[in-house]
Amino acid sequence: MTAQTIHRTTPRAAAGGGRRKPLRWGQLASQVFLICACVLWLLPIAFALYVALRPYSETQKYGYVSMPHHLTLKNFSDAWSQSDMLHYFWNSVLITVPSVLIVLALAAGLAFVLTRVNIKINVALLILFTAGNLLPQQVIITPLYRLFLQIHIPTFLGNSGLLYNSILGLIVINVSFQLGFCTFVLSNYMKSIPDEMYEAALVDGAGLWTRFRKLTLPLCRPALAALATLLTTWIYNDFFWAITLMSSGDKRPVTSALANLQGQFVSNQNLIAAAAMIVAIPTLVVYVLLQKQFIAGLALGSSKG
Amino acid sequence: MTDQELNPAAAAAPRAPRRRRVGRLSGRDKAVVAVLLGLPIVLDLAFIWGPALATVGLSFTKWNGVGGLSTKICQPNVPSILNNGCLYGVQNYHQAATIYPEFWPAVRHNLIWLAVFVFFATPLGMFFAVLIDRGIKGSRMYQSILFLPVMLSLALVGIIWEFMYSQNYGLINTVIGHNHNGNAIDWLGNPKLNLWSVLIEASWRQAGYVMVLYLAGLKAVDPQLREAALMDGTNAWQTFWKVVFPVMRPINIVVMVVTVIESLRAFDLVYITNKGINGLELLSVLVTSNIVGETQRVGFGSALGVILLVISLVPICAFLYLTFRRETQPKGAR
């Protein structure tokens, strides 16, 4: 840096003990700040959990912000049984699991071709897919809604007979929308695989498909795991597609069905809190178990610029 | 495969130019390429770009969604039922900007949203990341807690925060003693307050997201750079702004794009709070309410969608330009 700054700091550095003290104060200040932030960050979740754990009669009498007389899990079991929540969870599973698998399969193949086959328009295609993922969902919803009303599907795939209001429809849009991000991340990842490995495979007579299946996919396993974690939470948490592309509440995934439940339980806030906590559980479990993968996925998406 | 077959190929490998060799594909390889490219392209064009272009087209029509579209130009002074599906030119845009009462508030709210994300949530997230990255005690726990909201769906965030904000039983009002019918503060109902209340919820989530992006960025910074800067006698503040921050340029771009896109996409929180009315209007809400609600104004809603599209294309293009610039240049040009 500049000579000026050296002049200013050298005497302090020479003082030795004098330098260490402010550092410790800085550490203390950081700790205090982070603890305060964490309390603020946990407070809304903790308070909702507290409301969920208290009996309705007690909160009616003393208010929500009061000391507990006794805590109960009854709100959780009531919310679960009174709202047919298992059914909505099953909807979420039916949408999320196939979507994640299909996105990863399609994006891996696409990214492989775009990075490893020398076609002229590969950068253009990558731009097309990446940009598609960045569009706000509302930009495409009007025609998409119309399109979903036009596309007929066999009734065993959805009893409405249309892509609109069917689980398949939500899978289709989630897959199409998330393809861009996954392709972008995977192609960045695949670019880091050394050319020499492909040359060796080619020498061994491996065709394009073998180079994809036997070489690229195993090497991409960490990236695929990270993306699977991210996609699972994103698709599970989706709200917009489910409320615009599904007319009836009973086919919606659990996150958007919660809005209906909120109306149903309107007089009993304790039940709403319990239902909200139940809906949050799957993503929290994913987070606790797969925190590393989750964060790796976000980091992969941002590691290139 | 025998050794004899292999050897000539191995011998030829170093001499053949890499590009041409990869470009030469067998018939089977071509089929593989066609399949791997085909399905994603069809999906992307049919369900993302097709609709995006169709939105642009529909925005020049007047259509209530029933019956077909025509190529006739809309007649003035004719009952709108007869005009349905006609070409309306830029009238939808004109109406949006002049006589649609929710339009300018929505634009203003979107801008406020962006400003809060840029000047509050992003610096806060970055600050968290810098503190945690210094490896102080308990940093992993801090990181986990601050990131927790990002795992929750925005709809869920809205519901959870209602327990904080509720007029009579909410935590905030009870603690500050404003929970009686006479003096209760209606955080989510008062149109002067609710945008800010919702923005606190949104920032609560966004800051954790930004934090993780910056944590990834900070880990990638060469520690020698920092050491060198400290040796030169800079303090932590100067080291960060003059050395570390510029090195994190790729992350800064990603965070910038995420911030702008997320503030344009904002929808779930306001929709779950009060369906995006009474002080919480956003462009995204207006698009949705015009096309999915009972009174469908498809043409008008599409025009609002195009406005949203044009605004979002600015950060999208900037991101793509900065990301792909290097790839289109021949190697070694930089």
Side-chain angles (χ1 to χ4, degrees), chain A residues 27-264:
Chain A
Q27 286 249 334
L28 190 67
S30 310
Q31 287 281 4
V32 170
F33 176 79
L34 282 175
I35 287 170
C36 291
C38 283
V39 169
L40 278 177
W41 250 243
L42 277 179
L43 192 63
I45 302 174
F47 185 61
L49 184 65
Y50 181 56
V51 171
L53 282 171
R54 302 185 66 195
Y56 181 67
S57 55
E58 191 185 305
T59 46
Q60 284 308 98
K61 201 166 161 195
Y62 303 105
Y64 286 98
V65 191
S66 57
M67 293 312 283
H69 294 255
H70 56 277
L71 299 174
T72 170
L73 291 172
K74 196 168 175 302
N75 290 320
F76 289 91
S77 60
D78 283 356
W80 178 267
S81 59
Q82 285 177 27
S83 62
D84 201 10
M85 213 179 253
L86 186 64
H87 169 80
Y88 295 115
F89 264 118
W90 184 237
N91 287 347
S92 282
V93 172
L94 285 180
I95 294 164
T96 310
V97 173
S99 301
V100 171
L101 295 178
I102 298 171
V103 177
L104 289 181
L106 292 181
L110 182 66
F112 173 71
V113 172
L114 295 184
T115 45
R116 289 296 159 187
V117 180
N118 190 27
I119 47 173
K120 287 207 175 70
I121 51 166
N122 49 15
V123 174
L125 280 176
L126 199 51
I127 288 176
L128 186 82
F129 280 94
T130 311
N133 179 249
L134 294 172
L135 291 178
Q137 292 150 313
Q138 289 81 10
V139 168
I140 61 172
I141 188 62
T142 322
L144 195 68
Y145 173 71
R146 296 274 141 198
L147 191 64
F148 270 43
L149 283 170
Q150 296 301 315
I151 298 178
H152 294 265
I153 56 170
T155 40
F156 67 87
L157 286 171
N159 50 17
S160 60
L162 294 171
L163 213 45
Y164 178 72
N165 201 22
S166 73
I167 300 257
L168 181 69
L170 280 199
I171 296 177
V172 165
I173 188 59
N174 275 312
V175 167
S176 312
F177 200 70
Q178 301 293 353
L179 253 178
F181 177 77
C182 293
T183 308
F184 178 70
V185 169
L186 285 173
S187 73
N188 281 343
Y189 198 82
M190 287 178 189
K191 269 176 211 149
S192 66
I193 300 173
D195 282 338
E196 286 73 18
M197 297 188 84
Y198 286 94
E199 275 161 26
L202 201 64
V203 166
D204 285 345
L208 198 65
W209 179 250
T210 317
R211 273 177 273 157
F212 173 57
R213 270 287 328 270
K214 297 264 171 70
L215 175 62
T216 314
L217 280 187
L219 286 172
C220 286
R221 208 174 287 155
L224 289 170
L227 282 177
T229 322
L230 275 184
L231 285 175
T232 306
T233 25
W234 286 347
I235 296 174
Y236 176 85
N237 282 339
D238 162 62
F239 181 71
F240 183 73
W241 298 129
I243 62 159
T244 49
L245 296 175
M246 284 212 159
S247 64
S248 54
D250 68 318
K251 280 184 195 156
R252 285 185 180 160
V254 68
T255 317
S256 53
L258 198 64
N260 293 2
L261 298 185
Q262 216 187 356
Q264 188 186 325

Side-chain angles (χ1 to χ4, degrees), chain A residues 199 202-205, chain B residues 3-16 21:
Chain A
E199 275 161 26
L202 201 64
V203 166
D204 285 345
Chain B
D3 279 344
Q4 280 137 315
E5 273 174 59
L6 270 177
N7 278 338
R15 266 184 283 133
R21 214 162 29 73

